[in-house]
């Protein structure tokens, strides 16, 4: 029996062992954020997940990638502030509570409705937190500042204070103007929350009578808006309409006379070239009405039905009114043609339902005047990957109207405004030293005199809430104690990192940059990491197979978080969606077994004191040089916070090189059971195996934090791998032997092939073999590895040798004596 016994006792790495480690992490200082640390602070502006039941694959990958970045930065020597944030404000929970309980928000007492939402969120939060924990996502705690809920009084007080600040700076105004209205959500939404979908529609061709001239042909997909028609546009160069200039056209059914106006927005090549312009038809119509000072008519009301302006169609739902009007137009002979067409329909980003333009009184935050500054900031901020900056630039170039921030919803941060009962002046509280959370819909204001008229007649509280982006856009500021902890804010402001999905660049990233600039005059972020694959608001991968994608957490239980995290890193090439495959995950989990097995094997041998590189055997120098080249390859990728290629490289090195060849090759020397090697050679082997294993575990630690930590604790440091530094390039580790790496590995493969083809076990001996003279430094290890009695170089003179062509190598062979010795 060997005198060597593995110091790692457990024979198998079990996913269940991960949970034990997590408990240990919570008791140790590794993840505590220390404001007084001498290290530079690095704040991860955690995307507060919106809670909605079990996690999806995209979400799992997204959050584990962010955790990987936090761990990497910590190992690089930053003081990492990685708070847990939970986004709880906003529509989705309201809609869910309404649907699940069959109630209507506006018909339920507000306090009661809020409590129902809160209870629902608390349930979802438990699921989310358990999943984070299980995945090894280790947020820090800093008293209680290290975590936040966007609906907590503390968070909302900061949101309100920042609003009062920009109100005082004159950046907020009230306006009655048409804007995107979502019927499903029952509120105005911002342009950033509108997306366009193509939909098939029917174009109806109708005549508009013109006195004394031929009627004008109009093509419209929305005849139900006829009652809101304000003008007919024709192109100034369109010769068909020269004589129509200054005339009016009669809108059928409603008999309204509207002016015929020359405008370059009419497209001559489109149908008859004449364009019906309706109030609030789309953004272009809204602009046209403003440009030509036309009197707008609202055809659609905020509940999705036709207004009184629609005459006999009043009260009908939009789609029903359209059907009826088409019928009536046909009856009266005005509709002369119909054809199928494709239409770009503006949709609400959250509810995925079509929106309409409806005029409402809303509060607007100025944003148009900040675009130039934000463009400058966009160019000056570091982006990972660099090309994702363009998503932001494109959006900045599309912003044309200010940001409506008031919402007619309940579960959000209240707009801290009261209106004077005497003069209706809107009054905000003063900003004091203490942060206050205001609920104007049920509270009296913290003042009793109107600053405008001086009346003390009382105030009426605002009952609207903010767009939730008003809250989440200051998550980065919240994470460093903005308005709560000046010292923290000063120390942490310049190094906040924003990780996020690319689908919310125009919302979360954009609003964060805008708001931080308005509040501080500075860029919000030190660096911005935009996840390459598409994730939706819930962090869910937008894959076509989404509907079929099984929830991932049961697989985490089965295969382990480490495997799931490595799987995500391996799959997440930039720009590709993640499609979950249990087969591939199971394959990755075998890698964990492999890693555990080699670590356990290596654990049989003592960890020698440091040995100088040049005192190692040439083969051992070669191994460390290979390990060093791995580090050289992965560091540039790690530095752009992309762990996809590092994951591939680390796995390849560990499995295909280290486990398959090196561990096998050094076994003989490590045991030295036949006294073939000198003691120094044996120690050199032990040393190099441990050194390489340290590099592998440290390099893999951010991606697969559990197994690497366990191995490190068992073998090298009871404080674990996460307090170590990330591997760096060691310039002294250079060996010319790397030139022969392929030859050495393929020579091994040649011996295995020979034994396999001759039905021999790998342990069975060979009496004599010839290998390439270049492999002289390896000869003793190769000899021990393949149990070769006599190893020689070059080509044998005798002809009783078998020539084995090396796999994957041109013109390289080994020769093996064909008379096999008996075991
Ligand atoms: Zn909606
Ligand atoms: Zn007043």
């Amino acid at each position: 029996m060997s005198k060597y016994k593995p110091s790692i006792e457990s024979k198998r790495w079990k996913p269940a062992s991960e949970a034990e480690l997590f408990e240990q992490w919570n008791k140790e200082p590794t993840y505590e954020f220390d404001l007084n640390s001498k290290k530079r602070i690095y704040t991860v502006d955690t995307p507060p997940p919106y809670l909605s039941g079990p996690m999806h694959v995209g979400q799992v990958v997204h959050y584990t990638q962010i955790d990987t970045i936090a761990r990497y930065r910590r190992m690089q020597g930053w003081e990492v502030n990685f708070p847990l944030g939970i986004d709880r404000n906003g529509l989705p929970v309201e809609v869910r509570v309404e649907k699940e309980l069959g109630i209507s928000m506006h018909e339920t007492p507000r306090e009661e409705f809020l409590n129902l939402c809160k209870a629902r969120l608390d349930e979802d939060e438990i699921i989310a937190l358990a999943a984070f924990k299980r995945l090894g996502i280790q947020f820090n705690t800093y008293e209680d500042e290290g975590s936040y809920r966007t609906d907590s009084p503390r968070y909302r007080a900061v949101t309100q204070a920042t609003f009062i600040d920009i109100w005082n700076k004159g950046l907020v105004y009230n306006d009655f103007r048409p804007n995107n209205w979502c019927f499903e959500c029952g509120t105005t939404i911002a342009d950033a929350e509108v997306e366009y979908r193509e939909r098939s529609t029917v174009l109806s061709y109708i005549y508009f009578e013109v006195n004394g001239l031929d009627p004008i042909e109009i093509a419209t997909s929305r005849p139900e808006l006829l009652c809101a028609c304000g003008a007919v546009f024709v192109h100034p160069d369109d010769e068909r309409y020269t004589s129509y200039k200054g005339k009016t056209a009669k809108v059928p059914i409603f008999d309204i006379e509207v002016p015929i106006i020359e405008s370059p927005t009419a497209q001559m090549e489109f149908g008859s070239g004449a364009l019906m312009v309706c109030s609030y038809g789309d953004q272009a119509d809204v602009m046209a009405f403003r440009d030509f000072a036309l009197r707008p008519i609202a055809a659609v009301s905020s509940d999705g039905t036709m207004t009184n302006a629609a005459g006999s169609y009043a009260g009908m739902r939009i789609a029903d009114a359209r059907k009826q009007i088409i019928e009536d137009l046909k009856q009266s002979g005005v509709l002369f043609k119909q054809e199928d067409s494709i239409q770009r329909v503006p949709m609400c980003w959250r509810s995925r339902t079509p929106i309409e333009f409806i005029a409402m009184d809303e509060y607007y935050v100025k944003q148009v005047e900040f675009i130039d500054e934000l463009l400058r900031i966009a160019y000056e901020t570091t982006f990972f990957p660099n090309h994702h900056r363009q998503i932001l630039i494109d959006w900045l170039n599309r912003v044309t109207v200010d940001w409506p921030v008031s919402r007619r919803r309940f579960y959000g941060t209240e707009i801290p405004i009261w209106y004077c009962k005497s003069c209706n002046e809107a009054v905000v509280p003063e900003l004091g030293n203490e942060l206050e959370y205001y609920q104007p819909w049920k509270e009296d204001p913290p003042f009793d005199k109107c600053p405008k008229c001086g009346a003390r007649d009382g105030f009426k509280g605002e009952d609207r809430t903010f767009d939730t982006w008003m809250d989440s856009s200051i998550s980065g500021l919240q994470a460093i104690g903005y308005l709560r902890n000046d010292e923290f804010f000063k120390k942490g402001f310049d190094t906040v990192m924003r990780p996020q999905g690319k689908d919310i660049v125009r919302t979360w990233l954009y609003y964060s940059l805008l708001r931080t600039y308005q509040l501080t005059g500075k860029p919000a972020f030190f660096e911005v990491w935009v996840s390459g694959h598409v994730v939706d608001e819930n962090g869910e991968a937008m894959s076509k197979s989404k509907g079929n994608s099984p929830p991932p957490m049961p697989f985490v239980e089965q295969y382990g978080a480490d495997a799931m995290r490595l799987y995500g890193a391996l799959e997440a090439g930039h720009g590709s969606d993640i499609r979950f495959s249990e087969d591939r995950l199971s394959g990755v989990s075998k890698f964990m077994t492999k890693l555990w097995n080699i670590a356990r094997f290596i654990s049989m041998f003592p960890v020698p004191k440091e040995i100088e590189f040049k005192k190692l055997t040439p083969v051992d120098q070669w191994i460390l040089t290979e390990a060093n080249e791995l580090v050289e390859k992965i560091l540039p990728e790690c530095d752009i916070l992309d762990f996809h290629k590092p994951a591939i490289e680390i796995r390849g090195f560990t499995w295909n090189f280290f486990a398959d060849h090196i561990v096998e090759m050094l076994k003989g020397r490590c045991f030295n059971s036949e006294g073939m090697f000198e003691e120094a050679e044996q120690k050199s082997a032990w040393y190099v195996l441990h050194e390489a294993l340290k590099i592998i575990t440290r390099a893999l630690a951010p991606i697969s934090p559990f197994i690497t930590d366990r191995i490190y604790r068992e073998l090298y440091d009871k404080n674990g791998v996460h307090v170590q530094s990330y591997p760096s390039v060691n310039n002294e580790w250079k060996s010319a032997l790397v030139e022969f790496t392929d030859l050495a590995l393929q020579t091994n493969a040649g011996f295995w092939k020979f034994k396999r083809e001759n039905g021999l076990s790998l342990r069975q001996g060979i009496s004599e073999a010839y290998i390439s003279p270049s492999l002289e430094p390896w000869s003793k290890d190769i000899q021990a590895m393949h149990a070769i009695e006599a190893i020689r170089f070059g080509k044998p003179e005798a002809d009783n040798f078998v020539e084995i062509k090396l796999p994957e190598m041109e013109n390289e062979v080994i020769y093996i004596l064909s008379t096999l010795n008996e075991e």
Side-chain angles (χ1 to χ4, degrees), residues 393-570:
I393 306 274
D394 289 347
W395 172 249
L396 285 169
N397 286 324
R398 276 167 54 203
V399 173
T400 52
V401 293
D402 286 331
W403 175 19
V405 294
S406 42
R407 297 288 181 270
R408 288 168 168 77
R409 303 296 308 186
F410 288 174
Y411 207 86
T413 299
E414 290 86 350
I415 300 176
I417 292 178
W418 281 264
Y419 302 92
C420 169
K421 279 185 180 163
S422 185
C423 73
N424 206 33
E425 174 76 353
V427 187
V428 299
E430 274 180 29
L431 279 180
N433 289 331
E434 291 297 310
L435 285 168
E436 293 283 347
Y437 169 44
Y438 302 105
Q439 295 185 285
W441 57 274
K442 65 169 187 184
E443 289 171 0
D444 287 333
F447 43 79
D448 60 359
K449 185 179 155 202
C450 172
K452 192 181 179 199
C453 71
R456 292 177 194 270
D457 295 344
F459 292 84
K460 188 190 170 304
E462 169 64 64
D463 56 13
R464 283 172 294 176
T465 54
F466 285 121
D467 178 356
T468 56
W469 294 116
M470 280 290 280
D471 300 282
S472 46
S473 58
I474 54 163
S475 59
L477 292 172
Q478 289 267 11
I480 48 173
Y482 183 62
L483 300 185
R484 288 184 282 112
N485 182 335
D486 282 349
E487 188 198 357
F488 192 1
F489 177 66
K490 275 195 196 109
K491 279 187 180 174
F493 186 52
D494 293 331
T495 50
V496 178
M497 179 275 206
R498 161 59 64 80
Q500 65 165 76
K502 71 177 175 187
D503 57 321
I504 50 174
V505 166
R506 64 182 184 167
T507 46
W508 195 34
L509 178 58
Y510 166 69
Y511 287 136
S512 301
L513 292 170
L514 172 73
R515 298 261 282 131
T516 305
Y517 184 74
Q518 288 179 339
L519 294 165
T520 68
K522 290 191 178 134
F525 304 115
F526 162 67
E527 49 195 29
V528 174
W529 177 87
V530 180
S531 164
H533 57 277
V534 181
V535 287
D536 73 5
E537 55 173 324
N538 302 322
E540 184 179 352
M542 300 272 279
S543 143
K544 287 203 179 75
S545 61
K546 184 163 67 175
N548 309 325
S549 188
M553 292 315 289
F555 295 105
V556 172
E557 292 306 328
Q558 189 178 346
Y559 297 103
D562 275 342
M564 182 60 92
R565 292 173 62 123
L566 180 58
Y567 165 81
L570 289 167

Side-chain angles (χ1 to χ4, degrees), residues 608-623:
K609 283 212 186 71
E610 191 175 349
I611 303 176
E612 259 184 273
F613 183 73
K614 57 178 191 284
K615 291 192 175 149
L616 298 169
T617 71
V619 166
D620 295 340
Q621 292 180 5
W622 162 72
I623 295 165

Side-chain angles (χ1 to χ4, degrees), residues 91 95 181-187 189 193 347-355:
L91 264 157
V95 172
W181 179 267
C182 175
F183 302 109
E184 183 73 21
C185 302
T187 187
I189 60 172
E193 294 178 301
M347 314 274 283
C348 168
W349 179 75
R350 288 190 195 274
S351 56
R352 311 226 145 97
T353 50
I355 57 138

